[in-house]
Amino acid sequence: MKAEAGFLEARPWPAQRLAWTALAILALANVLSYLDRIVINLLVEPIQRDLAINDTQFGLLQGVAFGLFYTAMALPIGRLVDNGPRKPIIAIGVAVFSLFTLASGLARTFGQMFVARIGVGAGEASVVPTAYSIISDMFPPERLGRAMSVFTMTAFVGIGLAYIAGGVAIAAVAAWDAPGFLGELAPWRRTFLLVAAPGLLVAVLLMTVLKEPERRGGRDAAKIPMREVAAHLAGQRRALVLVFAGFSMITMSGYASTVWTPALFIRAYGWSAGEIGVAYGALYLVLGPAGALLAGWLCDRMTARGVREAPLKVAAWGYLGTALFGGLAPLMPTGELALAVFAPAMLMATMPYPMAGTAIQLVTPNRMRGQVSALYMLVINLVGLGAGPLVVGVFNDALFTGPEGVRYSLAWVNAVAAPVAFVLLWAAFRPYRDLRRET
């Protein structure tokens, strides 16, 4: 396994400039994937009004619809990533999610919007497994934590930009006297068309500029049969089950907050979509990358000192405080106080995400990285993306009814998820440490 994983090979790693250029292009694709995914959260009210849907149905759009093909496509895409050129996979994926974002703006019924969000999820499913595989072939283990943190932090940049640019775009589009066909579209529909366009350009950039790195496990390595992948996973199940479960709880809370926080401020505090977009987006732009980079820096320092389970320790301890701040923030009496309490929660909530990718890559052979990463994405999104937004929507409609009910739904999800995630990751420390000794 050591030779196959490629951690100790004599071949030189790619030059730093080449590695960081590839990382920058992949990061741009990741930013756009979150921009297309998140902007819908600012458009809850007009979408619900025009399509005549309730909170549960909106939760289905962001949870089941998006997550359905995002998870269903994960394993076949992971298999493609491990057994062929990776550049076309991510380029086609970016083009697909951009086209279906455009389709979201043209949907006339709940069913059409449901199908469009499925398409967005299917395209975005290519980004993370492909990027993880490429980055792991670009950076040595002692630098992988920071590289993964830089890539992962762009998710929070994308979320921040989605809120800020989305809020600004909504106001600008509403005031724009558009000609012809565009003038007949509602502002929320034009917003989807606007955010879809950059992805088509980035898809071209991925095909023409991104360089396919040499696989660290060897260019001529044979394709690994599925039974060997299954055997590898079975051999690591003591650690991976706990790791996947812990990060699933983190993802559930994260998606619930990302999807429903704009509705919280609009319904409970009377803010406009533009106001919460700019304010909440600014927090994400500053604290999201800060949390991810802090996690990568801590992880690499601990790894250099011989702490083999460093990624899991940083994730578990870093996220624990989210239970307190994330649980209290929705209950604050004013929007300004809520933002202030959300700030430390956001810093801590973003720390685990780069650690998940780092932890998995460090114990996975090269020719299995795409598939194991895809399985990880499948599991965390079935739980997190499938359940997080939907649970809050169901709570809003069935338990905490009324315009301000969303604050109690969010508070409960955040307060419960963080301690459960900590216990699961803490239990994974020892079996994961044993796996690192073997690689």
Side-chain angles (χ1 to χ4, degrees):
M1 182 173 176
K2 290 182 179 181
E4 190 176 24
F7 294 161
L8 303 177
E9 295 179 35
R11 294 199 313 274
W13 292 87
Q16 285 193 18
R17 179 176 296 181
L18 177 63
W20 286 102
T21 299
L23 182 59
I25 297 172
L26 295 169
L28 181 58
N30 203 35
V31 167
L32 291 179
S33 76
Y34 276 86
L35 179 63
D36 286 3
R37 185 186 313 183
I38 297 300
V39 73
I40 190 175
N41 300 334
L42 288 172
L43 304 170
V44 176
E45 306 302 324
I47 289 174
Q48 287 186 315
R49 182 181 62 248
D50 288 1
L51 301 186
I53 61 177
N54 58 26
D55 280 0
T56 299
Q57 289 173 303
F58 188 80
L60 287 170
L61 287 178
Q62 279 295 73
V64 175
F66 177 85
L68 183 64
F69 266 57
Y70 189 79
T71 54
M73 294 297 292
L75 289 179
I77 287 176
R79 186 74 177 166
L80 290 174
V81 167
D82 286 338
N83 294 319
R86 294 160 283 187
K87 184 168 70 170
I89 296 173
I90 192 170
I92 293 171
V94 171
V96 167
F97 75 65
S98 300
L99 289 172
F100 276 98
T101 298
L102 187 150
S104 300
L106 303 177
R108 295 292 176 178
T109 66
F110 172 74
Q112 291 175 1
M113 179 66 84
F114 194 92
V115 172
R117 300 317 290 175
I118 284 176
V120 173
E124 292 187 12
S126 70
V127 176
V128 171
T130 311
Y132 278 0
S133 178
I134 291 174
I135 293 168
S136 297
D137 283 336
M138 285 285 188
F139 293 88
E142 66 273 11
R143 295 179 184 171
L144 187 59
R146 276 168 286 187
M148 284 292 184
S149 293
V150 170
F151 173 76
T152 305
M153 82 175 188
T154 59
F156 309 119
V157 172
I159 293 171
L161 288 176
Y163 282 125
I164 293 175
V168 172
I170 289 167
V173 167
W176 178 33
D177 186 16
F181 169 72
L182 291 175
E184 300 174 2
L185 296 177
W188 69 265
R189 297 182 182 279
R190 294 185 226 163
T191 302
F192 275 119
L193 304 189
L194 182 64
V195 301
L200 299 175
L201 298 176
V202 171
V204 175
L205 185 67
L206 286 163
M207 283 300 298
T208 57
V209 178
L210 182 66
K211 303 297 182 184
E212 181 85 24
E214 183 178 2
R215 291 185 184 271
R216 305 308 296 181
R219 284 179 301 181
D220 301 323
K223 294 181 180 180
I224 296 178
M226 285 296 297
R227 63 178 179 275
E228 289 190 28
V229 179
H232 168 79
L233 292 169
Q236 295 189 340
R237 64 184 180 277
R238 286 185 60 241
L240 291 186
V241 167
L242 293 167
V243 169
F244 284 19
F247 284 108
S248 291
M249 295 303 300
I250 292 170
T251 307
M252 185 181 75
S253 174
Y255 274 116
S257 296
T258 301
V259 169
W260 287 106
T261 295
L264 164 70
F265 279 82
I266 292 170
R267 297 176 185 180
Y269 303 121
W271 289 29
S272 70
E275 289 171 336
I276 182 55
V278 171
Y280 197 57
L283 279 185
Y284 253 112
L285 277 178
V286 175
L287 298 176
L293 290 174
L294 175 61
W297 177 77
L298 289 171
C299 178
D300 284 350
R301 283 182 62 89
M302 293 171 67
T303 300
R305 294 202 306 267
V307 181
R308 298 178 185 273
E309 70 278 21
L312 301 187
K313 282 192 169 181
V314 172
W317 287 105
Y319 189 70
L320 187 57
T322 306
L324 174 63
F325 294 104
L328 288 177
L331 305 179
M332 292 295 103
T334 67
E336 290 76 13
L337 280 174
L339 275 180
V341 180
F342 266 126
M346 190 176 296
L347 179 71
M348 290 179 284
T350 55
M351 293 182 69
Y353 292 97
M355 299 298 94
T358 303
I360 292 169
Q361 306 312 303
L362 288 174
V363 295
T364 305
N366 185 293
R367 285 287 183 173
M368 298 184 189
R369 282 177 181 157
Q371 293 163 92
V372 177
S373 296
L375 178 63
Y376 163 74
M377 297 302 297
L378 186 152
V379 171
I380 68 167
N381 284 298
L382 279 176
V383 177
L385 188 53
L390 181 58
V391 166
V392 175
V394 171
F395 279 6
N396 293 346
D397 287 335
L399 187 59
F400 303 115
T401 57
E404 295 194 9
V406 64
R407 61 168 57 195
Y408 305 108
S409 303
L410 268 180
W412 272 106
V413 171
N414 289 336
V416 171
V420 173
F422 175 85
V423 170
L424 290 167
L425 292 177
W426 178 81
F429 288 172
R430 177 174 293 179
Y432 183 82
R433 186 165 58 241
D434 294 340
L435 286 182
R436 285 299 315 276
R437 291 195 184 101
E438 300 171 5
T439 57

